[in-house]
Amino acid sequence: MLLPLLALALAAPATAAAQDSQAADVTCVAVLGAIVNTVPEAQRPGVLAGTMYYVGRIDGREPGFDLQKAILATLPSDEAGLNAFVKQHTPRCGSQLQDNAKRLASVGNAVQARAKTGGAAPKGR
């Protein structure tokens, strides 16, 4: 009897953290969707790539997740509220994407440096 209760108690914090992460990622998808048509044309591929990053995180956590329903529940329905929402959440979402871009650039630099020193980059599968 105690073992199932202990397992449930230990799972609760992980579930709450996953829900918080899911909500944060839905927020970023909503923000990026709200700004994609407002950024200069040259920046749109980056916004779309960022959107796909967050959608991938959401799908990885919960395949079949109803993203449309979650976005509609997350976004304010009025323009002023939407503008405030975007302004509030853009720094966090943008910072995460910039951190990932830096990390990927570092990986690319390491691969290039290894190739220049005689080591071959791993071949694709």
Side-chain angles (χ1 to χ4, degrees):
M1 180 74 165
L2 183 60
L3 199 54
L5 290 175
L6 182 60
L8 184 61
L10 292 174
T15 302
Q19 288 173 342
D20 289 347
S21 294
Q22 196 78 325
D25 289 347
V26 167
T27 295
C28 290
V29 171
V31 165
L32 293 167
I35 68 167
V36 70
N37 291 322
T38 66
V39 299
E41 186 72 33
Q43 293 178 2
R44 286 186 189 157
V47 172
L48 293 173
T51 303
M52 293 308 299
Y53 166 76
Y54 285 110
V55 169
R57 286 173 50 100
I58 291 165
D59 285 345
R61 235 182 258 113
E62 189 178 337
F65 181 79
D66 190 342
L67 186 58
Q68 179 177 328
K69 179 180 175 182
I71 288 172
L72 291 174
T74 299
L75 282 176
S77 58
D78 62 293
E79 188 173 345
L82 178 60
N83 291 336
F85 177 86
V86 168
K87 187 175 183 177
Q88 176 186 355
H89 295 288
T90 297
R92 178 185 58 82
C93 300
S95 178
Q96 285 180 326
L97 292 174
Q98 287 175 348
D99 289 347
N100 283 325
K102 289 175 188 173
R103 193 174 80 204
L104 289 174
S106 177
V107 170
N109 291 338
V111 169
Q112 288 178 350
R114 186 173 73 177
K116 288 179 183 177
T117 61
K123 293 186 178 182
R125 293 183 185 181

